Amino acid sequence: MAQSLLSYDLCGDRVDDLSGLDLSLSAMAYYPSSYMPILETTASTWFPIVSDENGSHKRLKRTTSVPELALANVGFSHGQGSISRNSSTNSLHNFPRLQFRDHILTYTQRYLAAEAVEEAAAAIIGLENTKAEEDGSRDEMRLFQLLISCAEAVACRDKSYASVLLSELRASALVFGSSFQRVASCFVQGLADRLTLVQPLGAVGFIMPTVMNSALDEKEEALRLVYEICPHIQFGHFVANATILEAFEGESFVHVVDLGMSLGLPHGHQWQHLIQSLATRSGQPPLCLRITSVGLFVKQFQTIGDKLKTYAQTLGLNFEFSIVESNLENLKPEHIKRHNNEVLVVNSILQLHCVVKESRGALNSVLQVIHELSPKALVLVEQDSSHNGPFFLGRFMEALHYYSAIFDSLDAMLPKYDTRRAKIEQFFFAEEIKNIVSCEGPARVERHEKVDQWRRRMSRAGFQPAPIKMMAQAKQWLGKIKVGDGFTIVEEKGCLVLGWKSKPIVAASCWKC
């Protein structure tokens, strides 16, 4: 159905003149230069391919529905042990709208049983089902095309067409499906949220979204699982601590200012490792280690500080802990208490991207405060992807590429029906995806940027790069944590970048005044 439309994003800015464009086509036809790199059929990407001559990843075709279909805005009816679509308009009122967390426990045993049946069937047959694999590839290519078409429709504020596509996507983007189906389900949630904020064509501006966060305990558990299973945060802690130890070498009075207190992980993992390393370093340990936490979660930070103090006492290390109750935008140099003759290091793990705004004023203000503190080193760890571009479709494609790699890595680390993976995906990464896709203005805080962009920002703020020279140590560390094949660490212009099959995930850099 060809339509003549003028496309605006949610900020009211003109995106493209889509006159005569068939909105049912994939964005590949309209933006070939932007989208073709994402469709390369290499091991570094998880976008669907039509065929795979090597046959390295085999999948059995699904023939039954899965519980996340209940989340769609259509009616359903229960059959014996399955869920099927019901065309009756009254069924929507009869069937309760369940949340994802309700399905995790309810269907775990059913999926485990299904997995056992699949494995037994494969063992009995003794050969690979090539036809099922080809069908699965075609299904995922169709899913990809639907996803891009829906993103185009949402960008064009075509509510009716986008709603039709969302209904079809909800039936195909399965929370317990393949890697691409699972990541697609998160983007479908984001598109649906964004669609609810869309104003009619021709309107200027956008409605401020109401951000709905998951329950705190679920998010905390998801963060714990990400730390324990995925190497992303551990990589940042490892590189940061090695850099901090180098800066503190031979010093007696040392001070760390932690922006965000290492994501609020309850046990202060990063600082326990640092305390142990300082207490057992060659020569004499420092006479005093001070850690200042910056953030708004005072009770949580104090609990972490008390645990660190007890741990330091067991190792005979003099330790002081203090809290600055402030968000990063309102941080002032005088908030940080300094002692004479102490060496200061600033630590930022996945924090500074949250103060990157369109005006650039907020980040510049924070960097100016850090520069006035004159730290010996600023350790910066950030997601290495471009999720802060000016156009919605570009951000959408970049995010789809990035999180597809992450969901692919989770496939390699966890069994097919492991509920830990579902919690990580739906209560941690899905929250990031939905913020990138559905939010604009101050509500969009997941503004990840590539390491080259961070170099330009840091240089403008008066910082100079301090190359991280620990490639051999980093590779040795990656082998020790046993996350399986596929993860790589490379050096890029003095930065260390953790990636999955050559797709960059997290970058660590060091800066000095």
Side-chain angles (χ1 to χ4, degrees):
M1 177 178 64
Q3 302 183 23
S4 178
L5 296 172
L6 186 63
S7 174
Y8 290 78
D9 65 12
L10 289 182
C11 293
D13 298 324
R14 175 173 171 169
V15 178
D16 295 293
D17 186 353
L18 302 181
S19 300
L21 175 64
D22 185 352
L23 292 180
S24 65
L25 295 178
S26 166
M28 294 180 290
Y30 197 60
Y31 300 100
S33 61
S34 299
Y35 294 163
M36 285 309 293
I38 300 177
L39 297 177
E40 293 177 356
T41 55
T42 65
S44 64
T45 181
W46 240 101
F47 286 85
I49 55 177
V50 176
S51 63
D52 185 359
E53 296 177 357
N54 296 327
S56 57
H57 298 282
K58 305 300 179 185
R59 304 182 188 86
L60 295 176
K61 182 179 179 182
R62 285 188 181 272
T63 59
T64 58
S65 300
V66 294
E68 67 272 12
L69 293 179
L71 299 176
N73 292 324
V74 293
F76 294 89
S77 63
H78 273 292
Q80 193 76 18
S82 65
I83 302 175
S84 59
R85 188 180 292 234
N86 189 336
S87 59
S88 171
T89 57
N90 294 327
S91 62
L92 178 61
H93 303 287
N94 298 330
F95 191 86
R97 185 174 180 82
L98 301 179
Q99 299 298 321
F100 174 80
R101 63 179 66 91
D102 300 322
H103 290 290
I104 291 179
L105 294 177
T106 305
Y107 288 91
T108 296
Q109 294 302 322
R110 182 177 297 178
Y111 286 126
L112 291 175
E115 182 181 36
V117 171
E118 284 187 4
E119 292 176 352
I124 293 171
I125 295 172
L127 50 85
E128 299 164 332
N129 193 333
T130 305
K131 182 177 183 303
E133 180 193 356
E134 292 176 353
D135 290 344
S137 297
R138 283 194 293 270
D139 290 344
E140 291 196 348
M141 177 57 76
R142 170 63 176 163
L143 176 59
F144 174 78
Q145 293 171 338
L146 283 172
L147 201 57
I148 303 307
S149 296
C150 186
E152 289 175 338
V154 172
C156 295
R157 304 187 182 193
D158 189 342
K159 277 195 164 185
S160 59
Y161 185 52
S163 298
V164 171
L165 293 174
L166 281 172
S167 294
E168 189 169 354
L169 280 167
R170 286 188 176 106
S172 303
L174 310 178
V175 175
F176 277 100
S178 67
S179 167
F180 188 73
Q181 287 174 321
R182 299 195 316 273
V183 76
S185 72
C186 299
F187 279 85
V188 168
Q189 294 174 48
L191 287 172
D193 291 345
R194 189 180 182 99
L195 189 63
T196 62
L197 309 175
V198 167
Q199 299 181 66
L201 282 169
V204 177
F206 68 98
I207 303 171
M208 180 66 70
T210 301
V211 181
M212 299 298 292
N213 292 325
S214 301
L216 183 60
D217 56 345
E218 291 166 340
K219 294 184 71 174
E220 288 181 349
E221 183 182 5
L223 175 59
R224 177 184 62 82
L225 291 171
V226 169
Y227 180 82
E228 293 175 355
I229 295 171
C230 304
H232 313 155
I233 301 174
Q234 291 187 53
F235 167 76
H237 287 179
F238 170 76
V239 176
N241 278 2
T243 305
I244 293 170
L245 286 171
E246 183 179 348
F248 287 168
E249 187 174 355
E251 302 291 345
S252 297
F253 299 92
V254 293
H255 186 184
V256 177
V257 174
D258 188 8
L259 309 182
M261 197 57 194
S262 299
L263 303 175
L265 287 162
H267 300 294
H269 298 287
Q270 179 180 3
W271 304 127
Q272 284 193 19
H273 294 311
L274 181 70
I275 290 170
Q276 183 181 29
S277 298
L278 286 173
T280 58
R281 75 181 184 183
S282 58
Q284 291 228 348
L287 297 178
C288 181
L289 165 64
R290 299 178 61 225
I291 294 180
T292 298
S293 172
V294 178
L296 299 175
F297 302 102
V298 175
K299 290 184 179 180
Q300 186 179 17
F301 293 164
Q302 190 60 58
T303 300
I304 297 173
D306 293 341
K307 291 181 179 179
L308 294 177
K309 199 166 193 176
T310 301
Y311 183 67
Q313 288 174 349
T314 62
L315 297 176
L317 185 66
N318 186 20
F319 176 77
E320 296 179 11
F321 183 80
S322 59
I323 301 172
V324 174
E325 186 178 0
S326 171
N327 56 26
L328 294 182
E329 291 93 328
N330 296 324
L331 184 64
K332 304 295 181 186
E334 54 268 23
H335 293 164
I336 309 298
K337 296 180 180 179
R338 302 286 305 275
H339 292 174
N340 294 331
N341 302 323
E342 72 177 8
V343 175
L344 178 70
V345 169
V346 177
N347 181 76
S348 176
I349 308 293
L350 308 181
Q351 293 296 316
L352 282 185
H353 69 265
C354 296
V355 291
V356 175
K357 308 294 183 184
E358 289 90 344
S359 65
R360 297 185 301 187
L363 178 62
N364 290 343
S365 175
V366 175
L367 293 179
Q368 183 179 358
V369 169
I370 296 174
H371 197 277
E372 289 184 30
L373 293 174
S374 298
K376 188 173 183 180
L378 163 61
V379 183
L380 178 65
V381 178
E382 286 292 343
Q383 293 92 338
D384 190 23
S385 192
S386 182
H387 299 156
N388 194 35
F391 301 112
F392 167 67
L393 285 177
R395 293 200 309 266
F396 185 90
M397 291 302 301
E398 285 283 350
L400 187 57
H401 194 192
Y402 177 81
Y403 287 101
S404 291
I406 291 179
F407 279 50
D408 183 23
S409 70
L410 290 169
D411 256 359
M413 291 186 290
L414 293 171
K416 187 173 182 180
Y417 300 106
D418 197 318
T419 55
R420 292 177 300 169
R421 185 176 67 183
K423 291 176 182 178
I424 289 172
E425 292 173 349
Q426 294 296 319
F427 299 134
F428 186 82
F429 291 118
E431 292 296 312
E432 293 184 357
I433 292 170
K434 287 187 288 185
N435 187 265
I436 294 169
V437 173
S438 66
C439 296
E440 292 293 349
R444 182 156 59 87
V445 296
E446 300 296 344
R447 296 174 176 266
H448 312 144
E449 294 186 329
K450 298 288 290 183
V451 68
D452 286 338
Q453 181 66 18
W454 279 108
R455 285 195 189 96
R456 289 189 286 270
R457 291 186 182 278
M458 299 301 291
S459 178
R460 286 196 296 264
F463 289 90
Q464 297 177 347
I468 300 175
K469 299 178 180 178
M470 50 176 294
M471 187 67 176
Q473 292 174 261
K475 287 188 173 181
Q476 186 179 19
W477 167 84
L478 185 61
K480 283 183 179 179
I481 64 173
K482 297 179 181 179
V483 290
D485 298 333
F487 283 102
T488 59
I489 295 179
V490 298
E491 185 177 353
E492 183 181 329
K493 298 179 183 178
C495 304
L496 289 185
V497 181
L498 174 73
W500 171 255
K501 296 182 178 178
S502 78
K503 172 62 182 174
I505 302 296
V506 176
S509 58
C510 182
W511 304 88
K512 60 183 180 180
C513 297

